[in-house]
Amino acid sequence: MTTSHLTMEQLLAVRDGDRSEPAYADAHQHVGECDGCRLELDRLHQRTARLRALPRMTPARNQFPAVRTRVVAERRQRRLRAVGIGGLAIAASLALVVMGRDLVQPNRLDAEQQIATAKSESQQLEQKLHDWDPQSRVLNSRAAVMVMEIEDRIADLDVRLAQTQESDRQLVLWQQRVGLMNTLVEVHLTRASNVGF
Amino acid sequence: MDATAMQDAETVITKARLGDPVALEALYRAYSGPVYNLARRICRTTEDAEDVLQETFFEVCRSIRNYRGDGSIWGWIRSVASSKALMRLRRNRYRETDELDAEYVPSAKEASPGLRMDLEAAMDRLTVTARAVVWLHDVEGYTHDEIAEQMGRTVSFSKSQLARAHSRLRVWLGDEATV
């Protein structure tokens, strides 16, 4: 049985029902017998209740546009990295086209050339968007939603491209990518405004 | 917490997990208030709290695919927010060479039993670590184990921070005079 008043650690253990605290049982019993410690425990409860009742603080401004911009920028970076790898693939494809011209079937060669062209167009559009520097510009909410949707679809295409070996299927996917990239560039060029003072 | 603020919370969460921007914005609208409040109570400045709010929702947008629905969505978002807020405290410590764990020594005037401080001011007087522990434990309901894990410290560190903080609050709020 504790004879002196409880320490704050012991009072907190009693308040929280923390039985892992040494001498919890003694402290709990002490509170029942000591008016001073019971009063102190009541104050602790009141203080906690007052903390919980403090007014809620709210942000002064909507941060979601900034979050959205960062999400879009990150997706763009990911895509650029993917296209960087794609750039190597383009070089490899062109080398294959040149070196293996006599070895492949004419219709297959045609598909490879068309894929190489679509990849090159896609890369040029990525470069155009990069030069436009979308991060230094702002989009209205509707345009930003459009951008995110288009970027999601491009990301989905990239996943499917990475999984596809068949030339004809790759060609279709690359052509779809060029179409989406064109739309993306157009949205940025027509809907964005400068961030400036 | 504010899930009621969202129309059809489950649908919103499902869409948000698929990256739907409208659903992500709905999550922001529902939980930005509680996240900011937590951040503001832990961080020193409104600027830091706003940064934590932004960092939290950026992480939510990136990682919501990993939310498996084991606990409440608010519990998950709150754990991201508290982690970001504590990270901000650590970063400020390095940037400002501010020793967060240093004892705060009140002046003779502040320590005077005759002085009554309001609770907000008293909380601001605590070290940032102590204030974070008080808020996370007493208001947000985190256990000492959870706080210790988030802070990279021991359970006894969390307990002693809480006890010391309450001892100081008790003095600054003027309760000791009537004991």
Side-chain angles (χ1 to χ4, degrees), chain B residues 5-140:
Chain B
M6 284 197 300
Q7 294 292 318
D8 194 2
E10 242 176 69
T11 308
V12 169
I13 293 164
T14 304
K15 286 183 175 176
R17 290 179 68 186
L18 296 170
D20 182 291
V22 176
L24 290 169
E25 188 163 4
L27 278 182
Y28 176 88
R29 282 201 306 273
Y31 296 109
S32 57
V35 166
Y36 180 80
N37 189 53
L38 183 152
R40 187 65 192 87
R41 294 296 178 187
I42 290 178
C43 298
R44 275 194 196 283
T45 65
T46 53
E47 289 78 13
D48 278 347
E50 285 179 355
D51 283 351
V52 168
L53 174 62
Q54 196 184 121
E55 289 291 332
T56 299
F57 278 94
F58 181 53
E59 189 63 45
V60 166
C61 291
R62 294 172 76 190
S63 307
I64 193 156
R65 284 180 178 84
N66 303 331
Y67 169 63
R68 294 190 300 272
D70 299 340
S72 70
I73 186 73
W74 166 237
W76 181 71
I77 293 174
R78 186 178 60 177
S79 70
V80 175
S82 57
S83 165
K84 297 289 178 190
L86 294 174
M87 201 181 292
R88 171 65 48 152
L89 296 189
R90 282 195 291 272
R91 191 187 303 172
N92 286 351
R93 176 171 58 184
Y94 293 124
R95 190 193 301 156
E96 298 165 9
T97 61
D98 174 19
E99 188 47 70
L100 297 183
D101 301 334
E103 289 288 323
Y104 174 75
V105 183
S107 66
K109 187 181 170 194
E110 286 166 348
S112 162
L115 185 74
R116 296 292 186 272
M117 210 182 271
D118 73 27
L119 186 56
E120 298 257 17
M123 283 292 282
D124 283 345
R125 288 283 182 186
L126 292 173
T127 63
V128 288
T129 305
R131 190 169 69 236
V133 171
V134 170
W135 194 262
L136 292 174
H137 187 274
D138 285 2
V139 180
E140 300 293 341

Side-chain angles (χ1 to χ4, degrees), chain A residues 13-188:
Chain A
V14 173
R15 183 197 69 173
D16 298 337
D18 182 3
R19 291 168 195 278
S20 70
E21 195 63 22
Y24 166 82
D26 284 351
H28 194 267
Q29 188 184 341
H30 177 88
V31 166
E33 296 164 0
C34 174
D35 289 344
C37 288
R38 196 163 48 247
L39 183 63
E40 200 59 43
L41 186 63
D42 284 346
R43 288 202 179 101
L44 194 52
H45 278 298
Q46 284 169 20
R47 202 180 305 130
T48 309
R50 286 173 60 201
L51 274 171
R52 290 176 181 161
L54 282 174
R56 295 254 157 214
M57 295 179 171
T58 52
R61 59 176 181 268
N62 181 5
Q63 296 275 338
F64 195 72
V67 172
R68 190 171 46 210
T69 302
R70 287 181 64 186
V71 170
V72 168
E74 194 197 45
R75 287 181 187 183
R76 185 176 305 120
Q77 286 301 319
R78 269 207 310 264
R79 210 181 57 243
L80 283 172
R81 280 198 294 274
V83 170
I85 296 164
L88 294 174
I90 290 169
S93 301
L94 288 173
L96 180 71
V97 168
V98 173
M99 290 161 51
R101 187 168 302 215
D102 298 332
L103 302 174
V104 293
Q105 297 294 320
N107 59 343
R108 181 169 178 78
L109 180 64
D110 189 48
E112 296 286 357
Q113 281 175 331
Q114 287 185 59
I115 289 171
T117 305
K119 281 180 179 177
S120 177
E121 278 180 52
S122 191
Q123 203 169 35
Q124 283 169 25
L125 288 163
E126 293 279 8
Q127 188 61 48
K128 189 172 180 180
L129 195 58
H130 180 73
D131 295 343
W132 173 249
D133 191 14
Q135 276 173 278
S136 67
R137 300 161 202 274
V138 289
L139 291 167
N140 63 37
S141 184
R142 199 171 159 191
V145 168
M146 279 173 72
V147 164
M148 288 176 78
E149 284 172 355
I150 296 166
E151 296 206 338
D152 278 346
R153 289 174 64 189
I154 294 173
D156 180 53
L157 276 178
D158 287 343
V159 170
R160 286 156 66 194
L161 272 166
Q163 296 167 341
T164 306
Q165 302 295 326
E166 192 193 335
S167 299
D168 290 345
R169 184 71 194 136
Q170 277 192 355
L171 178 58
V172 171
L173 292 174
W174 273 109
Q175 285 169 341
Q176 285 176 3
R177 195 181 198 284
V178 170
L180 285 170
M181 278 304 304
N182 263 316
T183 311
L184 185 61
V185 169
E186 194 181 319
V187 170
H188 275 291

